[in-house]
């Protein structure tokens, strides 16, 4: 028997310490003591993963242990979830099967691990169909047992915490996936602190410089914030103590990602973000008193001290959010002349706000209503799954509509309350009532006034839907709705109608074949469809029925053309290629280019010489040298460069992670790029001259200037060609010093 090395001994000690920490956290929780069960799961997983290591060099078992600790301490789940977390990679990565786990740990743990194994490797695979299918599996399993998705989120959180050991391109892929889906999923399940950390970690890897800048500024302004909070809190403490309340009051600082998002959305610097912190009051419920009334008592006490802003009151106590969140929000004018947001909640509300639906199980006996919110959401997801969109990205976007939403509350004519996402329309409301009502909707009455289908609803509206038996969904309805349920139901009807029309078109084509006594083989139909530029027969059938394609009298003549010529004609139509070389479409061997090879272990250098540029700029976000950027390898091996924060790039990272490149700009002093500045300020004589003169000093080419003045203010957009971000930054600093200019910044256009 060989002696253990020093490394093996250290590894075993590290693993044992981590397991002891897990047991301590479990024993300090409110759950029943099932230590033997957890120990058995740990020993089994430790033996199954023996010898395996993570990219960081740590023993692999450290990952399941870390996931189990998140599940236990940060989500508040019990022994079944902890055991499932410890075992979550066993079936995927070792020789053991689900049946082995069922025999050793029972049906429930085996079922959860099986659900996690089905969605292993990330929600998104390499193929579009696989992405959608993996996601459907996740949602179906989730509706069966919510613990599957909770453990999956814990797994993703630990992967994000250890992302530093990955290649940069892989970091972009995983961070993009996380922002696109996991953070919204955590938000929807009420896991506020986990959602915030997932967003911040994604931001850290995608925009390291901005992440560091914001955190440095938060540290630098911490002392002044603390003084503001103490000044604000002093009279509130005296008032609440006089009322005999037991409570905690603390200031909560916005996350770096949230601050950056606001800076981007409002196009302002860090210094112009005024709601960087909010004050949270968490009180102990007094026996025999209603929590809701206690929230309003604290509200009344604070309004005796500070002036409240009426339009900023949010009552999530009477009407919890769909993720179960409850709190009373208010904004008051503080003693230092700054608006301060307050959140008032009980201990129970606070635990549910931080740990989401995981915490609901602790309170479900006393608060059954909140559990039904999750059931409602899962029911909506199940309905969408009944008629999923075959296009993976569209399907994911449809689901995502239901993830990150701010709710509004509207009423039926009988006074029943319905929750809808902000921006929902009368047509969304109709589909929320019933699919048939949505399909037959011709209009609505909102607060007794007749409105069209696309009328946006507001909280408190009373809505009556008007229907007609002759009505049916139209394609333009897709532009009238915002909810995932409405979109999936309209899509299903339109697809069925299109299928019926295509069937009629097919009948016409078959009759045309019959007239000339020609057999309508699959090959002949494909050839005919390609001739008219349709890669799919169904699209061709539909075009014939709609009258977009007129069939000739003699189909046989068309079919005699060579297949390659027909196919080449289709390819040219699809790509917009001209008629040149039509007679000889074959590419000579010497003209064939070797496919470029991409080394993902190194940054892809974006060369600046316009004659040998090795990339193209994406039109959606138009990055320029100096921007945080990434490359996407197109189907023709062209590298398309996007800003890392671009919404299109986020979808690409999520769906085609294997094609993402980490990029670096080379010197581009001899190349120019399009950029647009937005300048706002007070209208005055000579301000335009001052702006153009300042810009011309930077030796850039101004292409277009649009200035509009109204009511004493002006808004200007200046399109120009610059060399890099440094040009823009210097210009913005200089322009902001001009008298009467109030804001200046780069915009995407």
């Amino acid at each position: 028997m060989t002696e253990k090395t020093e490394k093996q001994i250290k590894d075993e000690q590290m693993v044992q310490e981590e397991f002891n920490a897990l047991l301590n956290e479990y024993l300090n929780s409110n759950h029943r003591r099932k230590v033997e069960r957890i120990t058995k799961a740990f020993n089994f997983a430790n033996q199954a993963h023996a010898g395996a290591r993570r990219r960081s060099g740590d023993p692999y078992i450290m990952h399941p242990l870390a996931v189990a600790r998140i599940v236990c301490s940060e989500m508040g789940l019990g022994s079944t979830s902890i055991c499932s977390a410890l075992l979550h990679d066993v079936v995927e990565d070792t020789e053991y099967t689900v049946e082995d786990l069922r025999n050793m740990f029972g049906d429930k743990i085996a079922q959860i691990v099986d659900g996690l194994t089905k969605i292993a490797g990330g929600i998104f695979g390499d193929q579009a169909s696989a992405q959608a299918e993996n996601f459907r599996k996740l949602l179906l399993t989730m509706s069966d047992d919510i613990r599957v998705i909770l453990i999956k989120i814990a797994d993703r959180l630990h992967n994000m915490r250890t992302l530093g050991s990955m290649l940069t391109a892989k970091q972009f892929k995983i961070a993009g996936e996380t922002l696109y889906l996991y953070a919204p999923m955590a938000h929807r399940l009420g896991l506020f602190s986990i959602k915030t950390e997932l967003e911040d970690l994604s931001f850290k890897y995608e925009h390291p410089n901005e992440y560091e800048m914001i955190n440095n500024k938060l540290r630098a302004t911490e002392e002044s914030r603390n003084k503001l909070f103490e000044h604000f809190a002093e009279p509130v403490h005296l008032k609440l103590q006089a009322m005999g309340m037991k409570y905690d009051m603390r200031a909560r600082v916005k996350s770096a990602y949230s601050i950056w998002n606001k800076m981007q959305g409002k196009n302002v610097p860090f210094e112009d973000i005024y709601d960087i912190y909010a004050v949270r009051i968490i009180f102990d419920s007094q026996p025999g008193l209603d929590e809701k009334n206690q929230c309003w008592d604290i509200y009344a006490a604070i309004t005796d001290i500070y002036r409240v802003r009426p339009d900023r009151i949010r009552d999530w106590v009477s009407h919890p959010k769909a993720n179960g969140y409850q709190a009373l929000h208010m904004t008051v004018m503080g003693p230092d002349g700054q608006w301060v947001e307050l959140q008032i909640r009980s201990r129970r509300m606070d635990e549910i706000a931080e740990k989401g639906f995981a915490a609901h199980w602790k309170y479900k006996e006393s608060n059954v209503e909140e559990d039904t919110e999750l059931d409602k959401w899962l029911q909506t997801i199940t309905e969408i799954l009944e008629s999923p969109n075959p296009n993976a990205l569209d399907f994911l976007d449809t689901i995502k509509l239901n993830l990150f939403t701010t709710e509004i509350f509207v009423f039926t004519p009988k006074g029943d309350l319905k929750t809808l996402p902000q921006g929902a329309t009368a047509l969304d409301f109709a589909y929320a009532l019933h699919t048939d009502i949505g399909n037959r909707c011709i209009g609505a009455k909102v607060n007794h006034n007749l409105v069209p289908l696309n009328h946006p609803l507001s909280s408190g509206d009373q809505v009556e839907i008007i229907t007609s038996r002759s009505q049916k969904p139209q394609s333009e309805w897709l532009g009238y709705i915002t909810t995932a349920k409405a979109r999936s139901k309209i899509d299903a009807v339109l697809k069925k109608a299109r299928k019926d029309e295509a069937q009629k078109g097919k009948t016409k084509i078959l009759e045309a074949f019959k007239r000339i006594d020609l057999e309508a083989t699959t090959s002949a139909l494909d050839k005919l469809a390609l001739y008219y530029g349709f890669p799919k027969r169904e699209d061709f059938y539909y075009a014939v029925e709609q009258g977009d394609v007129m069939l000739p009298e003699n189909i046989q003549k068309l079919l005699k053309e060579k297949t390659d010529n027909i196919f080449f004609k289709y390819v040219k139509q699809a790509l917009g290629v001209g008629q040149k070389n039509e007679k000889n479409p074959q590419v000579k061997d010497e003209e064939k280019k070797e496919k470029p090879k991409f080394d993902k272990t190194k940054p892809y250098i974006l060369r600046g010489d316009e004659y040998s540029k090795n990339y193209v700029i994406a039109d959606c976000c138009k990055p320029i040298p100096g921007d945080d950027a990434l490359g996407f390898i197109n189907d023709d091996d062209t590298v398309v460069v996007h800003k890392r924060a671009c919404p299109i790039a986020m979808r690409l990272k999520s769906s085609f992670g294997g094609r993402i490149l980490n990029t670096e700009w080379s010197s581009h002093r001899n190349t120019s790029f399009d950029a647009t500045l937005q300048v706002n300020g007070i209208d005055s004589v000579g301000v335009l001259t001052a702006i153009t003169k300042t810009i011309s000093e930077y030796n850039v080419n101004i292409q277009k200037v649009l200035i509009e003045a109204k009511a004493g203010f002006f808004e200007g957009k200046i399109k120009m060609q610059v060399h890099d971000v440094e040009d823009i930054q210097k210009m913005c600093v200089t322009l902001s010093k001009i008298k009467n200019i109030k804001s200046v910044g780069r915009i995407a256009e």
Side-chain angles (χ1 to χ4, degrees):
M1 190 175 178
T2 56
E3 285 191 29
K4 291 181 181 177
T5 65
E6 190 178 342
K7 170 74 174 158
Q8 287 173 319
I9 294 168
K10 279 186 178 177
D11 283 348
E12 285 177 6
Q13 285 175 345
M14 178 170 65
V15 169
Q16 192 59 47
E17 283 170 11
E18 188 76 359
F19 178 60
N20 291 341
L22 170 64
L23 285 184
N24 287 336
E25 286 164 356
Y26 173 66
L27 292 170
N28 287 327
S29 71
N30 298 328
H31 292 282
R32 284 175 290 174
R33 307 287 179 263
K34 294 189 178 178
V35 175
E36 297 82 6
R37 188 188 195 197
I38 294 171
T39 305
K40 181 182 176 184
F42 163 69
N43 288 334
F44 184 83
N46 196 16
Q47 173 263 318
H49 292 299
R53 293 190 177 272
R54 299 199 86 206
R55 187 181 281 270
S56 61
D58 289 340
Y60 192 86
I61 189 65
M62 291 296 286
H63 170 63
L65 275 168
V67 175
R69 287 188 67 182
I70 292 168
V71 160
C72 175
S73 61
E74 297 181 50
M75 292 182 173
L77 300 179
S79 61
T80 299
S81 301
I82 292 169
C83 292
S84 302
L86 287 167
L87 298 164
H88 79 273
D89 278 335
V90 166
V91 174
E92 186 193 355
D93 293 344
T94 74
E95 299 299 314
Y96 290 102
T97 66
V98 174
E99 278 307 310
D100 294 330
L101 295 187
R102 184 173 282 109
N103 293 334
M104 292 194 71
F105 298 99
D107 285 341
K108 183 48 70 178
I109 288 174
Q111 180 189 341
I112 293 171
V113 174
D114 187 32
L116 287 160
T117 305
K118 283 175 181 169
I119 54 173
I123 288 173
F124 305 92
D126 291 330
Q127 301 299 318
S129 57
Q131 297 156 24
E133 193 50 45
N134 273 337
F135 194 44
R136 285 185 199 119
K137 283 176 184 172
L138 180 143
L139 292 168
L140 286 166
T141 317
M142 177 172 131
S143 58
D144 192 40
D145 193 323
I146 195 69
R147 286 174 289 193
V148 172
I149 190 59
L150 292 171
I151 296 167
K152 189 66 189 171
I153 289 171
D155 175 49
R156 175 48 58 111
L157 178 59
H158 183 246
N159 284 336
M160 287 301 295
R161 286 173 177 174
T162 56
L163 197 57
S165 57
M166 293 283 186
L167 295 172
T168 309
K170 190 80 169 173
Q171 288 174 354
F172 291 161
K173 174 195 182 296
I174 293 171
E177 255 181 32
T178 301
L179 265 185
Y180 188 73
L181 204 76
Y182 284 93
M185 190 75 80
H187 166 84
R188 190 61 178 191
L189 294 172
L191 301 163
F192 178 78
S193 54
I194 287 177
K195 165 242 180 191
T196 303
E197 188 177 351
L198 287 173
E199 288 176 338
D200 258 20
L201 287 169
S202 299
F203 177 44
K204 173 185 174 182
Y205 287 104
E206 293 210 310
H207 302 280
N209 296 334
E210 287 88 341
Y211 176 82
E212 197 58 38
M213 177 270 291
I214 289 172
N215 279 311
N216 286 340
K217 291 196 173 185
L218 284 174
R219 283 190 287 271
T221 55
E222 185 176 7
E223 193 176 336
S224 61
R225 275 200 314 276
N226 289 341
K227 284 179 182 174
L228 284 172
F229 171 64
E230 286 167 15
H231 198 190
F232 173 87
E234 193 175 342
V236 179
H237 279 306
L238 293 172
K239 189 82 172 175
L240 295 182
Q241 285 163 7
M243 292 166 64
M245 301 286 298
K246 287 186 179 177
Y247 66 94
D248 289 329
M249 180 161 48
R250 50 181 178 259
R252 181 189 64 83
V253 179
K254 264 186 188 291
S255 68
Y257 175 76
S258 181
I259 292 169
W260 181 74
N261 242 357
K262 206 152 197 177
M263 287 166 61
Q264 297 297 304
K266 295 193 170 184
N267 198 20
V268 294
F270 175 90
E271 290 70 23
D272 285 356
I273 305 292
Y274 295 112
D275 57 343
I276 281 176
Y277 82 99
V279 175
R280 187 174 289 165
I281 296 172
I282 302 162
F283 63 88
D284 293 339
S285 300
Q286 295 177 27
L289 290 178
D290 183 57
E291 281 183 345
K292 182 163 61 170
N293 292 340
Q294 289 178 72
C295 286
W296 286 106
D297 287 343
I298 294 171
Y299 168 87
I302 290 166
T303 56
D304 287 343
I305 306 167
Y306 297 120
R307 181 165 62 86
V308 70
R309 187 170 159 178
D311 63 324
R312 296 289 296 160
I313 298 168
R314 299 287 181 269
D315 179 9
W316 300 115
V317 177
S318 306
H319 304 295
K321 290 187 179 184
N323 62 12
Y325 177 83
Q326 278 185 293
L328 182 58
H329 289 202
M330 61 190 294
T331 300
V332 298
M333 178 58 75
D336 299 288
Q338 283 190 330
W339 291 108
V340 178
E341 183 189 320
L342 268 102
Q343 300 166 358
I344 304 166
R345 54 172 83 152
S346 67
R347 297 267 175 216
R348 179 191 64 81
M349 293 175 191
D350 185 60
E351 190 167 358
I352 287 170
E354 294 300 315
K355 294 182 178 175
F357 280 108
H360 282 218
W361 295 331
K362 185 175 168 183
Y363 298 102
K364 65 182 176 184
E365 289 175 13
S366 60
N367 223 319
V368 177
E369 281 183 19
E370 290 171 16
D371 283 338
T372 63
E373 290 294 343
L374 175 60
D375 295 334
K376 284 179 199 169
W377 183 59
L378 290 175
Q379 180 58 37
T380 303
I381 294 296
T382 307
E383 287 174 0
I384 295 166
L385 290 168
E386 288 171 5
S387 51
N389 191 321
N391 180 302
L393 286 175
D394 288 349
F395 174 71
L396 294 173
D397 283 345
T398 300
I399 291 290
K400 202 166 182 289
L401 285 173
N402 262 45
L403 293 181
F404 247 154
T405 54
T406 304
E407 289 91 359
I408 59 170
F409 304 100
V410 293
F411 297 91
T412 66
K414 291 182 179 178
D416 294 332
L417 184 71
K418 293 287 177 186
T419 305
L420 290 169
Q422 195 164 30
T425 62
L427 189 55
D428 284 312
F429 179 77
Y431 276 102
L433 295 174
H434 196 278
T435 302
D436 286 344
I437 294 174
N439 288 342
R440 293 175 181 174
C441 179
I442 57 171
K445 284 184 180 178
V446 174
N447 305 325
H448 308 293
N449 295 317
L450 199 61
V451 298
L453 299 180
N454 61 351
H455 177 81
L457 302 176
S458 303
S459 269
D461 283 346
Q462 188 175 45
V463 187
E464 179 187 349
I465 298 298
I466 304 165
T467 60
S468 166
R469 286 187 178 182
S470 62
Q471 178 69 297
K472 58 184 179 181
Q474 312 295 319
S475 57
E476 58 265 26
W477 282 18
L478 292 170
Y480 297 170
I481 46 96
T482 63
T483 59
K485 178 180 180 179
R487 185 171 297 279
S488 66
K489 295 302 179 187
I490 294 167
D491 268 338
V493 174
L494 293 177
K495 278 176 197 162
K496 187 179 183 308
R498 186 181 174 92
K499 199 172 180 181
D500 293 344
E501 291 291 292
Q503 192 59 44
K504 291 177 187 175
K506 183 179 180 182
T507 304
K508 287 182 181 177
I509 295 164
L510 294 177
E511 285 172 357
F513 272 83
K514 198 172 181 181
R515 278 198 300 272
I516 57 169
D517 201 24
L518 188 66
E519 187 183 355
T521 62
T522 303
S523 171
L525 291 169
D526 280 338
K527 205 178 282 187
L528 196 60
L530 279 175
Y531 181 85
Y532 285 103
F534 293 95
K536 293 181 180 175
R537 288 197 304 273
E538 287 71 21
D539 292 340
F540 173 52
Y541 300 157
Y542 181 76
V544 169
E545 178 58 26
Q546 294 298 303
D548 297 335
V549 170
M550 302 301 293
L551 293 174
E553 285 298 317
N554 192 354
I555 295 174
Q556 200 160 11
K557 187 181 175 185
L558 294 182
L559 295 173
K560 281 180 180 175
E561 280 198 42
K562 286 186 179 178
T563 306
D564 56 359
N565 282 351
I566 291 174
F567 182 72
F568 187 62
K569 178 179 176 182
Y570 158 65
V571 170
K572 286 195 305 168
Q573 285 177 337
L575 300 177
V577 179
Q579 299 300 313
K580 194 175 178 182
N581 292 334
E582 184 167 356
K583 290 180 182 176
N584 187 21
Q586 287 78 13
V587 181
K588 293 178 183 176
D589 288 342
E590 62 265 27
E591 290 176 357
K592 286 183 180 176
K593 290 183 181 177
E594 267 191 52
K595 276 199 166 191
K597 291 177 182 174
F598 300 100
D599 182 358
K600 293 187 182 176
T601 62
K602 299 174 186 172
Y604 182 78
I605 305 300
L606 304 171
R607 293 197 300 270
D609 187 341
E610 60 183 298
Y611 298 108
S612 62
K613 247 165 90 171
N614 59 347
Y615 64 92
V616 294
I617 295 291
D619 285 333
C620 49
C621 54
K622 291 193 168 73
I624 64 176
D627 281 329
D628 287 341
L630 55 78
F632 173 72
I633 306 167
N634 235 336
D635 289 340
D636 61 357
D637 289 312
T638 305
V639 174
V640 182
V641 181
H642 290 262
K643 285 184 184 176
R644 286 183 211 160
C646 167
I648 302 295
M650 187 179 286
R651 294 179 77 190
L652 294 174
K653 283 179 281 187
S654 305
S655 313
F656 305 101
R659 297 195 193 182
I660 298 298
L661 293 175
N662 174 29
T663 58
E664 269 184 24
W665 299 97
S666 66
S667 172
H668 281 71
R669 297 312 297 176
N670 298 321
T671 317
S672 294
F673 296 84
D674 290 340
T676 305
L677 280 186
Q678 181 164 305
V679 186
N680 299 332
I682 298 167
D683 191 18
S684 57
V685 176
V687 72
L688 177 58
T689 306
I691 291 169
T692 51
K693 185 182 175 186
T694 302
I695 292 173
S696 63
E697 289 171 2
Y698 286 92
N699 195 26
V700 298
N701 180 22
I702 297 177
Q703 295 175 302
K704 186 179 177 184
V705 177
L706 180 64
I707 301 276
E708 191 175 356
K710 195 175 183 182
F713 287 87
F714 77 87
E715 183 177 288
K717 288 182 183 175
I718 305 157
K719 190 175 180 182
M720 63 189 83
Q721 288 204 313
V722 298
H723 298 114
D724 53 29
V725 166
E726 195 178 338
D727 281 354
I728 293 277
Q729 288 169 342
K730 286 177 181 175
M731 251 183 282
C732 288
V733 170
T734 311
L735 286 169
S736 64
K737 292 176 182 175
I738 296 174
K739 186 183 177 184
N740 290 334
I741 287 186
K742 297 302 178 187
S743 69
V744 57
R746 178 178 161 209
I747 59 170
E749 197 174 73

